[in-house]
Amino acid sequence: MEEPSPSPDPPTNQFGSLNDLAHELASLEDLATRGSWRSILDKVSRARSLNLLTSPHDHLIYLSYNVLAFSKLRRFSEASNEIDTLDDFNSNYYKYETYPRLYPNRSGSMIPFSLRFIHAQLPIKLGNRQEGLDRFYLLLKFIREKIKEKESNNLRDSVRIWKRRENSILNCLIGHHLGDKEFSLCLDLIKDLINRDYLDPVLVSKLGYIQMQIGDIEGAKGSFNRVETMLNEKRSYEYFLGEVQFRNLVNRNKALVYLVGKDYVSAVREYEECIERDHTDVVALNNKALCLMYLRDLSDSIKLLEKALERIPTIALDETLVINLCSMYELAYVNHSEIKRTLNNWIVHVAPDDFDASCTRV
């Protein structure tokens, strides 16, 4: 799962720009958007050595970017050591009200949510899966307490933000449990949400994916039909998806049913609808190419992925897509090593720092 941005919540009327929120925050955001993680490490080191960070929240935001950069570069031990310097997230040292002169009329924690997320994720990256899962469940409990607090104060915008965070953590937990084939835990998490009328179409779709994995095809179709009904009733737009993303999700769910039934022509038709609606839908592009490959049309499947990389490199440059493209090269060409080396050289020039170029299998 993608780590959240370390930035605070978006600027309000009190702040005209990101730089009003923290020292040169706009520059950090720009580097992160471009995947320039090594440059972020350099920038943080320079700001610290020159004593440019003058307030507690400046230090926290720069530490958060440093931890994120280490994590992106798979330097997990260094990320863990950095985050351990904070000790207790609930310490008064990290609360606005401790510094009334610096932060008049502000209260609550200065710890960016991204730091809490990475704190939970790091043990898993370092091989301690159970500690990581325990931290994720504690974080989920923390988020749900925040949602209740914001709802009781009728703070709708804050509720929307915290519900999205709850959704991110649940998706992450489900992903970790799926990775260990703990299907019953995944189903319990999702069904609990559905029973509480928490209708996120992505999570309901994920329920369908899990049902497919355990062989419950009819149950999966029922979950996918429920998502389509939600679309027709125009539900769940507010918290989760825009209309285009929602419609593409419905099409991709239909395509998956066709894929399982080996009706690749119908699956291609569904993916084409997605791509026509949103030409940056990488899942639809990748899966359409796979369907074409299963239909023994390697030439068109390769062209489709190559054009995607050429047209939208920052979006399409995904390890899974590149692995699939290299597999197609290996099937289609005798000189596939040379072709993959050319692809690898191109990736080195355009990819973000955290892209794993070994996926080209050169």
Side-chain angles (χ1 to χ4, degrees), residues 336-349:
H336 57 77
S337 294
E338 184 180 330
I339 296 170
K340 289 192 297 180
R341 193 171 291 109
T342 301
L343 174 63
N344 188 73
N345 291 338
W346 176 80
I347 286 172
V348 167
H349 287 96

Side-chain angles (χ1 to χ4, degrees), residues 6 16 32 80 88 97 101 111 115 119 148 178 186 193 202 204 215 236 241 251 263 286 293 321 360:
S80 182
D88 179 10
E97 55 266 38
R101 290 184 179 179
I111 301 286
L115 212 50
H119 177 257
K148 284 182 182 178
L178 270 179
C186 297
L193 289 172
V202 175
V204 178
S236 293
L241 291 174
N251 282 111
D263 183 356
N286 182 64
M293 183 180 73
L321 186 148
T360 56

Side-chain angles (χ1 to χ4, degrees), residues 228-286:
E228 188 167 10
T229 299
M230 291 160 64
L231 171 66
N232 294 333
E233 292 175 352
K234 301 191 182 302
R235 297 184 66 181
S236 293
Y237 287 106
E238 182 179 8
Y239 288 146
F240 304 111
L241 291 174
E243 184 173 355
V244 170
Q245 289 78 16
F246 206 153
R247 290 189 181 280
N248 277 20
L249 178 64
V250 169
N251 282 111
R252 292 198 303 268
N253 289 346
K254 289 179 179 177
L256 194 57
V257 174
Y258 288 129
L259 264 173
V260 170
K262 297 187 178 180
D263 183 356
Y264 303 123
V265 173
S266 296
V268 166
R269 187 171 62 246
E270 296 295 335
Y271 289 130
E272 283 175 344
E273 277 193 41
C274 295
I275 296 162
E276 185 176 337
R277 203 177 286 126
D278 175 13
H279 71 281
T280 66
D281 188 334
V282 174
V283 175
L285 287 162
N286 182 64

Side-chain angles (χ1 to χ4, degrees), residues 1 16 34 49 58 66 113 120 137 178 191 208 250 304 314 338:
M1 174 181 172
R34 291 190 278 118
S49 65
D58 276 345
N66 222 36
F113 178 74
Y137 278 105
L178 270 179
K191 286 178 178 176
V250 169
L304 179 66
T314 55
E338 184 180 330

Side-chain angles (χ1 to χ4, degrees), residues 204-235:
V204 178
S205 296
K206 194 158 283 189
L207 171 61
Y209 309 153
I210 297 166
Q211 289 166 317
M212 279 193 159
Q213 289 197 48
I214 61 177
D216 182 8
I217 304 301
E218 291 307 311
K221 288 179 180 177
S223 296
F224 294 154
N225 287 338
R226 185 169 191 167
V227 173
E228 188 167 10
T229 299
M230 291 160 64
L231 171 66
N232 294 333
E233 292 175 352
K234 301 191 182 302
R235 297 184 66 181

